[in-house]
Amino acid sequence: MEAIILAGGFGTRLRPLTYTRAKTLLPILNKPMISYLMEMLPNEVRKVVLAVNYRRDQIEEYFETNDFGREVVVNDEPMPLGTGGAVKFAEQHITGTFLVLNGDIICSLDLKKMIEFHRKKKAVSTISLWPVENVSEYGVADIRKNGNIIEFIEKPRPEKAPSNLINAGAYCLEPEVLDYIEKGRLVSMEQEIFPKIIEDTGRFYGYKFDGYWIDVGRISSYIDVHRLLMKNKKIKKIEGNNCEVHGMLKNYSCIGENVYIGYNTLLDSTIVFNNTHIDNNVVLKNCVVGENCVLGRDSDLRNTVIGDDETIMEKTVLDNKIVWDKPIPVGYPDRQIGNVIEK
Ligand code: GTP
């Protein structure tokens, strides 16, 4: 069986961290996000197709130096083709029932069980489903008791919602799904292809699961996923190798390798990447700090994201800011595209 991992998005909501790296290589507990997806694949998956575009060189390099015991193909799109277009572009690698995983979902889904469910139902498409409280922000599944999905209702008012179940970003698909996707253009799987499959085949199923699920699409969920995974491991902080820590790390903070934390400095729910130096008497709360940064003493930063290679002067106070003082990479969109079709 093959699995396609969608890893070609720009990750605009995670800027400026994604100005310099592929979103799926962002560290989570000091391990690249994509390694979690590789580790959740069942044994049956022998070939992984990485659907890439933006920063493909970094992804390629990562897989050249890290072996996951499976064949890995880096499938580079000539331009971003969207979640559906990327699947179509991987068509030549598909030999039968296959998986598609959004590269930015961290969850406890048991893919083996989902595949079994898919086969039992003789489904054309099975998608993972996750319950949410705030239905009005999502496409919600209208689902029958036997798991058959008959429609998705976009952003319903809570009282009008047919369920509280949303698309959790992992699919088990039959090859005939590929016939629904037009070649060579930007296509959204969720908005264009799934509704057609529901209408044409009626064999579109939803698979609910328990445990945890986080869409690591925004800075707040990037911090949340650290909290969640550390709670699961029953640890409250993480320090990478070769760190020098004089201050304090609390509330599920995580620092990478070669990080210096000065005296009387406090990290609270904060993630710091490799080779960053944070001077004395600094407070960082709900922040993410990129690689090779220098943060001056007596600063107070909250809800702030600092891109790679930035310097923050001493006595800086910031709240709810994005710090990036270099040119934006050529070709990086100035607004979110992702699943949204550019007009
Ligand atoms: P935002 O710009 O913040 O919305 O992030 P994104 O570009 O990653 O988009 P989104 O979160 O909607 O994408 C969901 C998953 O699909 C992610 O794993 C993306 O890497 C992937 N993805 C989105 N668009 C494309 C694309 O055009 N090509 C490929 N190969 N993957 C994509």
Side-chain angles (χ1 to χ4, degrees):
M1 177 182 274
E2 297 82 27
I4 301 171
I5 300 185
L6 298 172
F10 286 98
T12 52
R13 290 166 296 161
L14 287 167
R15 57 162 67 114
L17 304 170
T18 43
Y19 284 157
T20 42
R21 63 175 69 67
K23 169 158 119 176
T24 48
L25 292 181
L26 278 170
I28 296 180
L29 271 47
N30 291 340
K31 268 174 46 178
M33 190 186 301
I34 201 157
S35 66
Y36 292 83
L37 284 112
M38 294 300 291
E39 285 162 11
M40 79 185 276
L41 293 172
N43 290 338
E44 195 180 341
V45 173
R46 299 314 309 155
K47 185 170 181 178
V48 180
V49 182
L50 302 168
V52 298
N53 179 258
Y54 176 65
R55 299 278 174 193
R56 58 154 292 191
D57 46 322
Q58 296 177 340
I59 295 179
E60 206 158 33
E61 196 187 313
Y62 174 70
F63 280 92
E64 273 165 14
T65 45
N66 291 275
D67 182 13
F68 289 89
R70 296 181 160 93
E71 185 186 353
V72 173
V73 177
V74 178
N75 210 36
D76 185 20
E77 294 154 36
M79 56 176 213
L81 292 171
T83 48
V87 170
K88 181 72 175 175
F89 193 67
E91 186 168 22
Q92 55 170 316
H93 298 288
I94 303 304
T95 58
T97 307
F98 64 105
L99 299 175
V100 176
L101 306 179
N102 276 5
D104 54 358
I105 303 288
I106 299 292
C107 67
S108 55
L109 171 66
D110 184 334
L111 284 165
K112 193 163 173 268
K113 286 192 179 152
M114 183 164 115
I115 297 166
E116 279 164 19
F117 174 91
H118 173 84
R119 290 187 173 133
K120 207 168 118 202
K121 296 287 178 191
K122 298 194 170 32
V124 171
S125 299
T126 299
I127 72 163
S128 55
L129 293 174
W130 181 252
V132 293
E133 278 169 21
N134 47 342
V135 280
S136 51
E137 287 178 20
Y138 297 95
V140 176
D142 190 348
I143 183 168
R144 296 202 175 110
K145 272 209 174 95
N146 67 355
N148 190 205
I149 294 178
I150 48 178
E151 200 181 358
F152 283 97
I153 311 286
E154 267 313 306
K155 303 186 170 64
R157 294 221 308 269
E159 65 279 11
K160 293 260 161 77
S163 74
N164 64 344
L165 297 167
I166 62 159
N167 175 352
Y171 318 131
C172 185
L173 306 174
E174 291 305 310
E176 63 185 276
V177 167
L178 296 165
D179 300 339
Y180 287 83
I181 313 172
E182 199 184 318
K183 212 174 191 162
R185 74 166 180 94
L186 191 74
V187 181
S188 161
M189 198 71 168
E190 301 79 358
Q191 293 169 20
E192 295 177 66
I193 307 306
F194 287 164
K196 281 191 203 153
I197 296 171
I198 292 175
E199 198 181 314
D200 274 20
T201 71
R203 289 193 286 142
F204 194 103
Y205 283 82
Y207 178 78
K208 295 178 254 179
F209 65 100
D210 298 324
Y212 59 88
W213 177 86
I214 295 198
D215 173 354
V216 191
R218 336 169 163 260
I219 296 295
S220 58
S221 57
Y222 181 64
I223 293 174
D224 284 348
V225 79
H226 280 80
R227 180 177 304 116
L228 180 120
L229 295 182
M230 278 194 236
K231 272 189 182 169
N232 286 354
K233 288 175 182 278
K234 299 193 177 5
I235 48 177
K236 286 206 167 147
K237 61 174 182 178
I238 291 186
E239 283 178 25
N241 294 330
N242 294 323
C243 290
E244 190 176 331
V245 178
H246 301 290
M248 198 168 124
L249 270 59
K250 66 178 235 185
N251 273 334
Y252 310 102
S253 291
C254 174
I255 62 176
E257 291 180 1
N258 303 316
V259 172
Y260 176 90
I261 306 289
Y263 294 91
N264 203 28
T265 280
L266 171 68
L267 269 59
D268 183 346
S269 294
T270 287
I271 323 298
V272 178
F273 295 0
N274 298 343
N275 308 320
T276 277
H277 182 105
I278 304 178
D279 210 332
N280 302 336
N281 207 24
V282 174
V283 174
L284 288 161
K285 189 171 165 58
N286 291 325
C287 293
V288 184
V289 185
E291 282 188 17
N292 307 316
C293 292
V294 177
L295 274 59
R297 57 185 301 156
D298 303 316
S299 296
D300 188 311
L301 311 186
R302 297 181 191 234
N303 312 306
T304 288
V305 192
I306 302 171
D308 291 342
D309 301 297
E310 291 288 333
T311 299
I312 300 285
M313 304 310 283
E314 60 185 50
K315 298 190 176 146
T316 298
V317 177
L318 297 175
D319 189 3
N320 213 9
K321 289 282 183 293
I322 285 179
V323 179
W324 182 261
D325 73 352
K326 299 174 279 293
I328 291 173
V330 177
Y332 197 95
D334 58 5
R335 63 195 173 105
Q336 183 191 351
I337 47 174
N339 278 327
V340 183
I341 304 158
E342 282 277 75
K343 295 275 187 249

